[in-house]
């Protein structure tokens, strides 16, 4: 596997068809598993300069099969949207139409039937930190609905990662859903009960709901977590 560069956190099965020097013949195939959902898969490589014209590929990702034409000679980068669920073993394969035997073609001493050098497998995953990053970008763009969906996706992927709960609560509050916002802040604090910021934001939500008693309870908890925090002290002193 050392001859295959992988961008993404995945587990690969035995790679068949990838030679020790990184060259590929007629077909290469392997299996892939990921701890996170995979939403896009791509390959990057370089066609051998001895092949004339374009080379046609057949690429399979599970049940998805696509035909791809690569102009020759040049590097190529191909990608396709996929839906690979966590821990779902998926077969990946690439088969090319043209190969060349450099020695028989009089362009070298290599007697193998070759097609291209495979440089990189690019796996784009919906991991929890990526959901947080994309969700925050959507918030900055004012796209609250998509941000809410992205934060929810992060919560589903890894429930212990509390920041998607908090950001989801903040986004729901911006949309006017205070009940939903309070619920997600409470869920996040159940996973991280030492978050002074979480209690402070939850206190503000209860205050917006008109429930001063619950607001004060959460401000007090925030103060317990972060003694001397000026924002909280001012809230308690009001």
């Amino acid at each position: 596997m050392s001859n295959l560069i992988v961008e993404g956190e995945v587990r690969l099965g035995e790679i068949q068809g990838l030679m020790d020097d990184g060259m590929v013949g007629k077909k290469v195939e392997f299996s892939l598993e990921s701890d996170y959902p995979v939403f896009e898969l791509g390959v990057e490589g370089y066609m051998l300069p001895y092949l004339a014209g374009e080379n046609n590929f057949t690429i399979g990702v599970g049940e998805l099969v696509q035909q791809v034409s690569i102009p020759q000679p040049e590097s190529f980068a191909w990608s396709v949207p996929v839906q690979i669920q966590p821990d779902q073993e998926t077969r990946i394969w690439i088969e090319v139409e043209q190969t060349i035997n450099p020695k028989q073609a009089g362009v070298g001493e290599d007697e193998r039937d070759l097609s291209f050098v495979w440089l990189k497998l690019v796996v784009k995953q919906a991991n929890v930190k990526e959901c947080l990053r994309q969700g925050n970008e959507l918030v900055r763009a004012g796209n609250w609905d998509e941000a809410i969906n992205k934060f929810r996706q992060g919560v589903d992927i890894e429930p212990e990662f509390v920041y998607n709960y908090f950001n989801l609560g903040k986004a729901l509050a911006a949309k006017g859903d205070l009940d939903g916002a309070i619920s997600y802040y409470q869920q996040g604090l159940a996973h991280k009960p030492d978050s002074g910021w979480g209690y402070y934001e939850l206190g503000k939500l209860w205050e917006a709901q008109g429930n001063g008693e619950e607001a004060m309870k959460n401000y007090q908890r925030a103060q317990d977590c972060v003694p001397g925090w000026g924002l909280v002290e001012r809230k308690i002193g009001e």
Side-chain angles (χ1 to χ4, degrees), residues 200-211:
Y200 173 71
E201 292 295 326
L202 182 55
K204 290 198 300 181
L205 290 171
W206 280 119
E207 191 173 355
Q209 285 275 59
N211 192 328

Side-chain angles (χ1 to χ4, degrees), residues 9 35-37 86 126-129 131 151-165 191:
E9 299 178 11
D35 290 332
Y36 303 109
N127 64 49
V128 64
K129 292 182 180 179
C131 289
F151 292 138
R152 278 198 172 117
Q153 186 181 45
V155 166
D156 291 339
I157 292 170
E158 193 170 325
E160 298 297 322
F161 190 77
V162 301
Y163 299 105
N164 279 310
Y165 287 99
H191 291 288

Side-chain angles (χ1 to χ4, degrees), residues 26-86:
K26 182 74 173 176
K27 185 176 183 179
V28 62
E29 60 183 316
F30 58 94
S31 63
L32 175 149
E33 285 185 88
S34 170
D35 290 332
Y36 303 109
V38 176
F39 63 88
E40 185 175 312
L41 189 69
V43 291
E44 300 176 5
Y46 190 84
M47 297 297 303
L48 293 183
Y50 316 118
L51 292 168
E54 65 182 18
N55 204 351
N56 296 318
F57 285 61
T58 302
I59 302 179
V61 181
E63 296 181 356
L64 173 67
V65 178
Q66 281 200 353
Q67 302 290 328
V68 183
S69 294
I70 306 296
Q72 171 59 35
E74 66 175 38
S75 60
F76 63 87
W78 168 89
S79 65
V80 64
V82 296
Q83 291 184 342
I84 300 176
Q85 299 304 314

Side-chain angles (χ1 to χ4, degrees), residues 17-18 40 51 86 94 111 141-142 163 167 171 184 195 198 203 207 209 236:
L18 180 64
E40 185 175 312
L51 292 168
I94 303 173
E111 298 184 32
Y163 299 105
N167 283 16
Y184 276 104
S195 174
E207 191 173 355
Q209 285 275 59
I236 293 174

Side-chain angles (χ1 to χ4, degrees), residues 1-7 10 12-32 41-48 57-61 70 74-79 90-96 112 114-123:
M1 292 187 189
S2 60
N3 294 314
L4 174 59
I5 299 172
V6 181
E7 183 178 302
V10 295
L12 301 182
E14 181 182 357
I15 303 175
Q16 299 177 345
L18 180 64
M19 302 175 191
D20 291 341
D21 57 358
M23 298 298 298
V24 176
K26 182 74 173 176
K27 185 176 183 179
V28 62
E29 60 183 316
F30 58 94
S31 63
L32 175 149
L41 189 69
V43 291
E44 300 176 5
Y46 190 84
M47 297 297 303
L48 293 183
F57 285 61
T58 302
I59 302 179
V61 181
I70 306 296
E74 66 175 38
S75 60
F76 63 87
W78 168 89
S79 65
T90 301
R91 178 172 170 261
I92 314 294
W93 56 275
I94 303 173
E95 187 168 357
V96 299
R112 298 174 296 179
L114 305 173
S115 58
F116 66 94
V117 180
W118 192 0
L119 302 179
K120 184 186 291 186
L121 172 70
V122 181
V123 182

